[in-house]
Each structure stands twice: as structure tokens, then as C-alpha cells.
Amino acid sequence: MKNFCFILSVGVFLFIVSCNDQEKSVETDMTAKNIAAINEINKAIETGDVSRLGDYITTDAVDHAGPKGDIKGLDSIKASLAQFHAMVQNMKLEVLKEIADNEYVFQWVRFTGITTTIDMGMPVGTKFDMTAIELAKMKDGKVAEHWEFMQPIDMLKMAEPITLPSTSKKDTLKNKIDSLNMSPKM
């Protein structure tokens, strides 16, 4: 009886391990497919060839990292990525680290290049070197949603310069008096 229980226990254990390995295999296949899709999108951004992005992005995808808000739909995303490529010369996109599963791909990426327009908030000819976390939500091996998280210092490089009015003591006092709608008594 002991031998039978032992053999039964080993059999159940092997069955459970076998099932887990099959689940991991399916997850590994989908994870690999997700990473491959993201890497093809990265190549399209680098080269400017957006013609095959429909193979890697759903038609109703949303890019939450648009310069002016959400970019909705494959055609709009393709146009935006082509425009981004046109704003940069010698663009390189290097994946520093990536983590993926069946549903999400996270990549820590480094963007380098030289601006060709002022659209990035920097003068034409400015060399840049920035990093960001790119997050893609996947659906059947294609990107359905995308977010980008940059370091504040890199975002400031792209911000339009802010000029503050001069504030000498005399100007400050005059502004306070004017705001009170009073004239000085001397």
C-alpha cells in the first residue's frame, strides 16, 4: 500500500508539473511574440518605414504618449510616428532592459539623435540623449495601448523656455500699489 501511495503521489506531482510547463510554454510563446512586435515597432520608428505597423498595432489602438494627448487609431499613430522620425536625424533607439508577459511589455529605452526641426522644443541641430520607460498593453500579439514615462530633466529639454518678467524692488512695490488701487502718500 505504501508503494502504491508513493507511486500515485509521484504520478500526480509529475502531472501537475507537466501542466505548469505547458502553461509556461504558451506564456513564453506569447511573451516572445509580444516582444518581437515591440521590437518591430522600434525598428519602424528608427527607419521611418511605418508601412508594416498594421502587423504590430491594432486598428483601434490608443497611444497615450502623443505630444498633444491621445492618438487614436492605427492610421493616426502611423502618421505621428512618421512625423516623429522626420524631426530627428541619426535616430537610434536602444533597448536597455525589457520585461514582458502575455499582456504587457515594458522597455527602458534610450533615444539619441539630432533635431531637424524645432518641434521637439529644441533648436535645429541639437544633439539629444534621453531615456524613457515605454509600456505597451498587448492584445493578441499587437499593441492596443501605449504609454511613455520620461525623466523630468528630459521633458524639460523639450519644453518651450519660460521667460519671467523682471521684478525689481521698485517694480514689485509699484505692482502692489497698483493692485490695491491706491496712490502713494508722500
Side-chain angles (χ1 to χ4, degrees):
M1 186 69 170
K2 280 185 177 180
N3 286 340
F4 177 73
C5 287
F6 176 74
I7 292 172
L8 182 62
S9 297
V10 169
V12 169
F13 174 75
L14 291 175
F15 176 75
I16 291 171
V17 169
S18 158
C19 289
N20 283 340
D21 285 345
Q22 288 175 352
E23 286 177 20
K24 286 181 182 178
S25 175
V26 170
E27 184 173 318
T28 302
D29 291 346
M30 184 54 75
T31 300
K33 185 176 180 179
N34 290 346
I35 290 171
I38 297 297
N39 288 332
E40 289 299 320
I41 294 168
N42 290 346
K43 284 181 196 172
I45 293 169
E46 261 190 349
T47 65
D49 180 7
V50 297
S51 62
R52 295 194 53 223
L53 286 181
D55 295 343
Y56 312 109
I57 299 174
T58 63
T59 57
D60 61 345
V62 178
D63 185 355
H64 300 289
K68 295 180 181 174
D70 289 351
I71 302 170
K72 297 178 182 179
L74 175 62
D75 291 337
S76 296
I77 292 170
K78 286 168 85 171
S80 176
L81 291 177
Q83 182 181 14
F84 177 65
H85 178 78
M87 295 187 307
V88 179
Q89 171 185 342
N90 298 329
M91 181 187 299
K92 299 290 180 231
L93 195 152
E94 174 188 1
V95 176
L96 303 173
K97 185 75 173 177
E98 64 189 12
I99 300 170
D101 63 16
N102 284 349
E103 192 175 7
Y104 290 96
V105 176
F106 293 82
Q107 286 187 330
W108 178 24
V109 296
R110 178 181 178 206
F111 294 99
T112 59
I114 302 168
T115 59
T116 59
T117 68
I118 60 169
D119 295 319
M120 287 183 62
M122 296 177 261
V124 172
T126 302
K127 290 182 180 182
F128 66 88
D129 187 340
M130 301 178 199
T131 59
I133 300 294
E134 303 289 334
L135 168 59
K137 182 174 183 177
M138 309 300 289
K139 181 180 179 184
D140 300 324
K142 293 184 174 185
V143 174
E145 290 186 81
H146 169 261
W147 296 265
E148 179 177 66
F149 305 95
M150 296 183 79
Q151 297 181 51
I153 191 72
D154 289 337
M155 291 187 318
L156 285 173
K157 290 175 191 173
M158 295 186 291
E160 292 186 29
I162 299 171
T163 55
L164 300 175
S166 74
T167 53
S168 67
K169 284 185 180 183
K170 182 179 176 184
D171 289 340
T172 303
L173 181 57
K174 182 180 181 313
N175 290 340
K176 283 183 182 179
I177 292 170
D178 288 345
S179 70
L180 294 173
N181 228 1
M182 299 172 43
S183 52
K185 296 181 182 181
M186 296 193 183

